[in-house]
Amino acid sequence: MVDFWNEEKLKKINKRKVVIIVLIVIVALIALSMVIVYNTSPDFREWVDVNILGKQVSQDSVATIDIESETAKICAFNKSIGVLNKNKFTIYNSSGGKDSTLDIEITNPIFCSSNRFLAIAEKGGQKIYVIEDRKISWEAQIEGEISQLHINKNGYVAVVISGTSYKSVINLFDNNGKSLFKKFLSSTRLTDISISNDNRFLALAEVDTSGTIIQSNIKIISVEKAQSDPENSMIKTYQGNGNDLITNIKYQNNNKLVCMYDNSIHIIDNDNDEVLVKYDDQKITATSIELSNNVVNVKEQSSGLFTADSIVNIISTENKNLKTYTTDEVTKEIYTYENIIALNLGSEIEFLNTDGWLVKRFISKQEITNVVISNSIAGIVYRDKIEIINL
């Protein structure tokens, strides 16, 4: 009798387990099917993004910041929006609330941000400030006129100075504001600079126009050597092809230096200068290397007599894998920061990640002309307000 009841009890338990397992399998298959359809069907993905994931927001549903003056200068950094007006730098959070106000004696700023750091310098002036976590970390007065600014993710800052007896002077500061060295350039024009993520190298992009052809050069400086012997700190020089104009450089992970020319993108890695992208006669409307371990370009493709699509190509600098994203609008401008790509489509902005997926779509009632972004937040800047998009 006892064995009979135990057997009945065991049957009931086993039936329950079978039902649970079957339900789990069914749910998993449904979820897998939805993932497959989401990945392969643009129409289904659009419906899910808008109606389930809430990736589409309108102008009426976002937080705003009122701008008191049309001359105010705006930036995005970390999880904040910064507004510089009349030597006051006000930092707003993602809800539009004021977090802090700092005294910044700058009227014509150059902004450069990375990680939790923001550097602000007076373009054509002498002042520089570095903000870390909404507080002024350090400030400095420069001899000469500041023309360019770069900060890496550890807070190291490179400042390009003009208005001296040299063509350009580069001054490198550590994350405490200590000047590590100065590098003097007498003849070539400096187009861009970049500090490696491990603080070991400073890369310079130079253009020499003194000859019959344009000569672009990329020079690598050892930060350690430059502190004791700046004159002999150059450890490598890479020459571009004749008449190829270098416009932008950026250190990405593992000290890979991505170099953008007017007709191609190269990667310098372990002494190798390799072509990643060659444009030739492609109709490329926008390109950027200001990303983490990726580069992006946008190409127009005709879709009708008077219409065109934008094909966004995202290329990994790690493994050269290509991801694409297509929108049925012409892209007027792109904005990039680390893992975020923003496409300005006129009265819409589409924010993508570097995996090629839509993060957020913002729909405005008016033409969008100015956007500031970081990895976590974006600001749509109008004449009298800023609309905040949380990414």
Side-chain angles (χ1 to χ4, degrees):
M1 192 64 151
V2 173
D3 290 341
F4 173 78
W5 286 109
N6 285 340
E7 187 176 342
E8 286 295 312
K9 188 176 180 181
L10 187 61
K11 285 181 180 178
K12 290 181 180 179
I13 293 172
N14 286 341
K15 285 181 180 179
R16 189 191 307 169
K17 285 184 177 179
V18 169
V19 170
I20 292 172
I21 290 171
V22 169
L23 288 175
I24 291 173
V25 170
I26 291 172
V27 170
L29 288 174
I30 292 172
L32 180 61
S33 299
M34 290 186 70
V35 168
I36 292 173
V37 176
Y38 182 86
N39 287 335
T40 57
S41 172
D43 291 338
F44 179 73
R45 181 165 60 247
E46 172 73 11
W47 184 87
V48 171
D49 285 345
V50 173
N51 297 287
I52 296 179
L53 300 180
K55 291 185 178 182
Q56 182 167 296
V57 295
S58 65
Q59 191 172 20
D60 297 328
S61 62
V62 299
T64 62
I65 300 167
D66 292 329
I67 303 175
E68 297 177 1
S69 170
E70 293 184 25
T71 60
K73 308 299 182 182
I74 319 298
C75 71
F77 66 102
N78 203 5
K79 300 177 181 180
S80 303
I81 299 289
V83 178
L84 179 62
N85 185 36
K86 297 178 181 178
N87 293 338
K88 297 291 183 182
F89 186 68
T90 306
I91 300 172
Y92 296 87
N93 58 37
S94 59
S95 300
K98 289 184 182 181
D99 277 343
S100 62
T101 299
L102 308 174
D103 291 323
I104 303 289
E105 295 179 7
I106 286 176
T107 55
N108 186 25
I110 306 171
F111 295 114
C112 186
S113 68
S114 183
N115 198 4
R116 65 185 187 277
F117 298 98
L118 171 68
I120 309 175
E122 182 77 60
K123 186 173 180 61
Q126 290 78 43
K127 293 287 290 185
I128 177 173
Y129 296 82
V130 171
I131 296 169
E132 179 183 2
D133 295 331
R134 304 186 183 94
K135 296 180 180 178
I136 296 175
S137 176
W138 57 269
E139 59 184 274
Q141 187 84 14
I142 306 294
E143 293 183 8
E145 300 174 356
I146 298 172
S147 59
Q148 293 183 54
L149 182 68
H150 173 75
I151 188 167
N152 77 351
K153 68 177 186 178
N154 302 314
Y156 276 56
V157 176
V159 182
V160 179
I161 304 163
S162 58
T164 69
S165 57
Y166 293 89
K167 193 83 171 180
S168 299
V169 179
I170 301 104
N171 196 348
L172 185 72
F173 296 85
D174 69 11
N175 53 0
N176 295 312
K178 177 185 176 184
S179 177
L180 298 180
F181 66 86
K182 290 182 180 180
K183 184 70 177 177
F184 301 91
L185 305 177
S186 57
S187 58
T188 54
R189 181 169 64 88
L190 197 64
T191 60
D192 201 12
I193 52 176
S194 185
I195 308 167
S196 64
N197 290 332
D198 60 6
N199 313 321
R200 293 176 57 204
F201 304 107
L202 173 66
L204 314 178
E206 298 179 343
V207 175
D208 187 352
T209 57
S210 60
T212 56
I213 63 171
I214 295 172
Q215 180 59 57
S216 296
N217 299 313
I218 298 161
K219 296 180 178 179
I220 311 298
I221 294 173
S222 165
V223 172
E224 182 181 6
K225 288 183 178 180
Q227 293 179 65
S228 57
D229 187 6
E231 292 299 318
N232 297 303
S233 59
M234 202 80 68
I235 58 174
K236 201 74 179 178
T237 298
Y238 301 88
Q239 285 191 336
N241 295 328
N243 283 329
D244 285 358
L245 180 64
I246 185 78
T247 58
N248 193 205
I249 58 175
K250 179 177 173 59
Y251 270 111
Q252 297 188 356
N253 281 357
N254 301 318
N255 287 338
K256 288 184 178 181
L257 183 65
V258 183
C259 310
M260 187 166 78
Y261 293 84
D262 57 349
N263 58 3
S264 62
I265 295 175
H266 293 222
I267 297 177
I268 294 176
D269 183 28
N270 294 325
D271 291 338
N272 295 319
D273 185 353
E274 182 182 6
V275 178
L276 178 68
V277 182
K278 187 76 173 175
Y279 293 129
D280 297 324
D281 297 325
Q282 299 179 55
K283 192 176 181 181
I284 302 297
T285 58
T287 306
S288 177
I289 63 174
E290 295 296 329
L291 291 164
S292 294
N293 303 320
N294 287 273
V295 302
V296 63
N297 63 62
V298 180
K299 181 168 58 175
E300 275 188 27
Q301 180 174 285
S302 176
S303 58
L305 188 59
F306 300 108
T307 59
D309 295 339
S310 293
I311 311 298
V312 183
N313 296 308
I314 305 163
I315 306 158
S316 168
T317 55
E318 294 285 335
N319 52 31
K320 301 180 184 177
N321 283 348
L322 171 66
K323 304 179 185 71
T324 61
Y325 177 91
T326 302
T327 181
D328 57 0
E329 299 283 347
V330 173
T331 300
K332 298 179 182 300
E333 194 172 0
I334 67 169
Y335 314 86
T336 56
Y337 186 90
E338 293 187 358
N339 296 313
I340 296 294
I341 303 161
L343 310 176
N344 185 344
L345 306 176
S347 58
E348 292 184 17
I349 295 280
E350 291 191 352
F351 298 92
L352 321 176
N353 60 27
T354 48
D355 288 325
W357 296 110
L358 180 70
V359 175
K360 196 83 72 176
R361 178 187 292 119
F362 173 74
I363 299 176
S364 175
K365 296 177 182 177
Q366 58 201 101
E367 192 80 5
I368 297 169
T369 58
N370 189 10
V371 179
V372 294
I373 67 168
S374 74
N375 246 9
S376 305
I377 197 170
I380 312 300
V381 182
Y382 300 102
R383 181 180 58 82
D384 57 349
K385 65 180 178 178
I386 307 164
E387 293 171 339
I388 301 172
I389 316 298
N390 292 303
L391 306 175

